[in-house]
Amino acid sequence: MCGIGGTVGRRPDPGLLERMAETMVKRGPDGSGIWTDERAGLAATRLAIIDLHERSNQPVHFGSVHLAFNGEIYNYRELRDELRGLGHAFETEGDAEVLLHAWAEWREGALDRFNGMFAFAIWDADEGSLTLACDPFGEKPLYFARVGGGLVFASQVNALEVPLRADQATLARYVARGVMPVPPACFFEEIERLPGSHLLRWTEEGTELRRYWSPRHVEVPVAYEDAVAELRELLLDSIRLRLRSDVPVGTSLSGGIDSSCVVMLSAELAGDHRRHAFTARFPGYERDEWRFAHEVAAEAGVVEHHAIEPTADEAAADLEQLILDHKEPVGSLSVYAQWRVMAAAKEAGVTVLLDGQGGDELFGGYPIASGFAVRSQGVAATVREAIAGPGRAATIAKSVAVDHLPGPARRAYFRLSASPYAAAGFEDGRRTDVAGPDPLRRELLRESFETSLPELLRYADRSSMAHSREVRLPFLDRRIAELAFSLPPEFLYRDGTTKRIVRDAGRGLVPDSVLARQDKVGYEPPQRQWLEQSVFRRLVADLLLDDGRGLYRPEEIERDLQRGSWRDHAGLWRALNAELWLRTLVPAQA
C-alpha cells in the first residue's frame, strides 16, 4: 500500500514531487522516491506489505516504462510464473515489478488479468503516454486535475498543490440529504477522482477517460445448492489470495453477516491471521454488535479479540484529525468508529485487515434491495410480497419511486425529505444511467458503482491509511462480483430474507445467531445520544450559529439548541462536518 503522485505535460519539478511524497507519508511510511525525465515525473511513498526489502521501493522501471503503484496485486505469484515463462526476469519478490512487466507484455490487457486493488500511473517514455488506472470498484483512490495541457495526480487531494475550492452544489446536496458525489466528481472544484473500472490516457494530443471493465454475465448453476457451493468456493479462494502478506494480518469484525463470513472462512485456512480481530463496541447501546462479533471470534479461534470503545468526548476531541485524514466530508460518526479500529490495529502491530465490505451491494443486503428483487421476480411474486405486510409493500413502493418517479415529484420528495437545517441542495444530483436486465440488477449496479459502495470504499481507504494500515475486501473479487450480478433474483431474496445466498454460503461455519440477523448496523455508534451531549452541543453553538454560508439555517439550529433536542441528528452531523471541513481543508472559503 502506498501513496502515489506525479505530473505530465510540463517539465517536472523535483521539489513538487518531494513535497507530494512528504504529504502522503501516512500512506507510505516505509520508503519514498521520485523519478523524472523531461516530460513527466513520478512520486511514491511505500507501506511495505510484500517483499519488505528496499529493492521493492518505488517508482519502478522496466526499459522505457516507469510505474508508481498503490495497492496490491493478489495473484502476483501466478502472474510472475506466467511472465517468467514468457522470458521475463525479476529482481524483486514484490507485486509492483510484476504489474510493470505485465503491462509491458500485455498493455491494457493486463488489467483483465489482475486480481487486486490498485491505482497506478505508468509513463511510457517511448510512446509519450501516461496511463492512470483504478481497480474495478475504486478501492484505491487517484485524484487528478487538468493543468494547462497536462495533468497533476495523487492519492490525496492535498498533495496536488492546486487551489482547494469546495464545489458548492455538491456540498449543499450533502448537507441537505447526505448525497455523495459520484466519481469522477468529488467535493472539490476542478479536481476529479478516477472512477473504479476506468483508465485515463494522456498524450500531447489530449486525454481520454474510459471504462475498461464491466461485469460480464456468467453461467450460474441451475440448482440453488450448487450456486451456494460455488460462492463459498470463490470466497474461500478470494480470502486465500488476500492473506498473502509478509506482515501480520488480522480481521475487522463488525458482527454482521459479511465480516463474520470472512472471519469464519479465513479460519479454514492455515496461518497466523486468526490471532487478531478488531471490533468497535458501545456498551449500553441497543444496536451494539459486540455479542455477535465475540461469538464469531470464539468460534473462529481468534486469539486476541480487541474491543474498541469510543466515547462522545473522544469523538469530539478527534474530529479535526478525522477531517484532516479523510479530506472530504463523511456521512456519519460510524466513520469515526472505523478510524478508531484502525488506530487499534496499528497499536497492536497488525498491518493488514480483512473486512466484509461489498457484500451488501453485490448481494442485495440493504432493505430497499428487497423491493427491486421482488419486482424482478414478476407480478405474482410482487403481489404476494405486497400483501405480506405493510412494511414489505412500502419497500416495493419505494423501489418503484426510485426507478419511475417523474421529475417534479422527485424534486418535491427531495425537498420534503431534506434536513430542516439545510438551506439549499434539494436536488438529488446523482447519476443513474446504469443498465441491467431487471430492476434488481440495475439497483445492485447503482449501489456498487454510484451510490453506496464508492462512499464506503473512500471511508475504508482514508481510515486505514490515516494509521498506515491496509484493508483488503474479499467480496470485491471480480469473479464474485460477476457471479453476484448474474444470479437469479430469488437466490438473493426470498420470503423476507435478504442476502439469502451469502447466509447459506456461511451456513455451518457462521453462528446461526448471526445468520438470522435482519438488521443493518456496521460499527454504528450511538450518534443520536452523542450529539445530544454537552460536548457536541458546545461545538454546534461555537461553529454553526453565526453564518449559514448559504448551506444551513442557523436560526433552525439555534431553535433546537434552545429547546434541548435535535429534530434531525443526521442532518446536524452533516452541517457540523461541512463547517469543520471548510475551516480545516478549504481555508480560503472559511
Short mmCIF file of all heavy atoms in Angstrom, two decimals, residues 32-33 54 112 122 172 264 280 307 310 345 362 382 403 407 415 491 540:
data_model
loop_
_atom_site.label_atom_id
_atom_site.label_comp_id
_atom_site.label_asym_id
_atom_site.label_seq_id
_atom_site.Cartn_x
_atom_site.Cartn_y
_atom_site.Cartn_z
N SER A 32 10.28 6.15 0.30
CA SER A 32 9.74 7.08 -0.68
C SER A 32 10.77 7.31 -1.78
O SER A 32 11.97 7.03 -1.60
CB SER A 32 9.37 8.42 -0.03
OG SER A 32 10.52 9.10 0.43
N GLY A 33 10.29 7.79 -2.91
CA GLY A 33 11.19 8.07 -4.01
C GLY A 33 10.51 8.90 -5.08
O GLY A 33 9.28 8.97 -5.14
N GLU A 54 14.13 -2.98 0.56
CA GLU A 54 14.10 -1.68 -0.13
C GLU A 54 14.18 -1.82 -1.65
O GLU A 54 13.87 -0.88 -2.38
CB GLU A 54 15.21 -0.78 0.36
CG GLU A 54 16.61 -1.30 0.09
CD GLU A 54 17.70 -0.39 0.65
OE1 GLU A 54 17.38 0.50 1.45
OE2 GLU A 54 18.87 -0.59 0.27
N ASP A 112 -7.20 -7.12 -17.29
CA ASP A 112 -8.11 -8.25 -17.18
C ASP A 112 -7.51 -9.42 -16.41
O ASP A 112 -8.23 -10.33 -15.99
CB ASP A 112 -8.52 -8.74 -18.58
CG ASP A 112 -9.40 -7.74 -19.30
OD1 ASP A 112 -10.15 -7.02 -18.62
OD2 ASP A 112 -9.34 -7.67 -20.54
N ILE A 122 1.45 4.85 -15.09
CA ILE A 122 2.53 4.31 -15.93
C ILE A 122 2.88 5.34 -17.00
O ILE A 122 2.01 5.75 -17.80
CB ILE A 122 2.13 2.97 -16.57
CG1 ILE A 122 2.10 1.87 -15.51
CG2 ILE A 122 3.10 2.61 -17.70
CD1 ILE A 122 1.80 0.49 -16.04
N ALA A 172 -23.86 21.39 -0.86
CA ALA A 172 -25.25 21.66 -0.46
C ALA A 172 -26.08 20.39 -0.49
O ALA A 172 -26.92 20.17 0.40
CB ALA A 172 -25.85 22.72 -1.38
N MET A 264 -14.87 -16.47 9.49
CA MET A 264 -15.03 -17.92 9.63
C MET A 264 -14.40 -18.67 8.46
O MET A 264 -13.79 -19.73 8.66
CB MET A 264 -16.51 -18.27 9.74
CG MET A 264 -17.20 -17.74 10.99
SD MET A 264 -16.40 -18.18 12.56
CE MET A 264 -16.36 -19.97 12.46
N ALA A 280 -15.46 -2.53 17.10
CA ALA A 280 -15.92 -1.36 17.87
C ALA A 280 -17.17 -1.76 18.65
O ALA A 280 -18.08 -2.37 18.08
CB ALA A 280 -16.23 -0.20 16.93
N ALA A 307 -11.48 -5.10 21.69
CA ALA A 307 -12.67 -4.27 21.79
C ALA A 307 -12.26 -2.81 21.84
O ALA A 307 -11.49 -2.41 22.71
CB ALA A 307 -13.47 -4.64 23.05
N PRO A 310 -15.12 3.68 21.65
CA PRO A 310 -15.07 5.14 21.51
C PRO A 310 -16.17 5.80 22.34
O PRO A 310 -17.24 5.23 22.56
CB PRO A 310 -15.31 5.37 20.01
CG PRO A 310 -15.10 4.04 19.36
CD PRO A 310 -15.47 3.02 20.37
N ALA A 345 -5.55 -1.32 15.49
CA ALA A 345 -4.74 -2.27 14.73
C ALA A 345 -3.28 -1.83 14.68
O ALA A 345 -2.37 -2.67 14.83
CB ALA A 345 -5.31 -2.44 13.33
N LEU A 362 -23.31 -6.13 -3.52
CA LEU A 362 -23.33 -7.18 -4.54
C LEU A 362 -24.50 -8.14 -4.38
O LEU A 362 -25.02 -8.66 -5.37
CB LEU A 362 -22.02 -7.98 -4.49
CG LEU A 362 -20.73 -7.24 -4.83
CD1 LEU A 362 -19.55 -8.19 -4.72
CD2 LEU A 362 -20.80 -6.65 -6.23
N THR A 382 -44.55 -10.11 -6.74
CA THR A 382 -44.71 -8.76 -6.21
C THR A 382 -46.01 -8.64 -5.43
O THR A 382 -46.04 -8.04 -4.34
CB THR A 382 -44.68 -7.73 -7.36
OG1 THR A 382 -43.46 -7.88 -8.08
CG2 THR A 382 -44.79 -6.32 -6.83
N ASP A 403 -37.12 4.20 -9.34
CA ASP A 403 -36.99 3.94 -10.77
C ASP A 403 -37.85 4.86 -11.64
O ASP A 403 -37.46 5.22 -12.75
CB ASP A 403 -37.39 2.49 -11.07
CG ASP A 403 -36.23 1.52 -10.89
OD1 ASP A 403 -35.09 1.99 -10.78
OD2 ASP A 403 -36.48 0.30 -10.86
N GLY A 407 -39.90 13.81 -12.75
CA GLY A 407 -39.06 14.91 -12.29
C GLY A 407 -39.68 15.81 -11.25
O GLY A 407 -39.12 16.03 -10.17
N ARG A 415 -37.27 17.82 -1.54
CA ARG A 415 -37.43 18.99 -0.67
C ARG A 415 -38.07 18.57 0.66
O ARG A 415 -37.64 19.02 1.73
CB ARG A 415 -38.28 20.04 -1.37
CG ARG A 415 -38.46 21.31 -0.56
CD ARG A 415 -39.09 22.41 -1.40
NE ARG A 415 -38.18 22.87 -2.43
CZ ARG A 415 -37.24 23.78 -2.24
NH1 ARG A 415 -37.06 24.33 -1.04
NH2 ARG A 415 -36.45 24.16 -3.22
N PHE A 491 -32.37 -16.13 -5.73
CA PHE A 491 -31.20 -16.61 -5.00
C PHE A 491 -30.71 -15.56 -3.98
O PHE A 491 -30.00 -15.89 -3.04
CB PHE A 491 -30.06 -16.93 -5.96
CG PHE A 491 -30.23 -18.23 -6.72
CD1 PHE A 491 -31.47 -18.87 -6.79
CD2 PHE A 491 -29.16 -18.82 -7.37
CE1 PHE A 491 -31.63 -20.06 -7.50
CE2 PHE A 491 -29.30 -20.01 -8.08
CZ PHE A 491 -30.54 -20.62 -8.15
N VAL A 540 -21.57 22.77 18.33
CA VAL A 540 -22.60 23.32 17.46
C VAL A 540 -22.76 24.81 17.73
O VAL A 540 -22.82 25.64 16.80
CB VAL A 540 -23.92 22.57 17.65
CG1 VAL A 540 -25.07 23.31 16.95
CG2 VAL A 540 -23.82 21.14 17.12
#
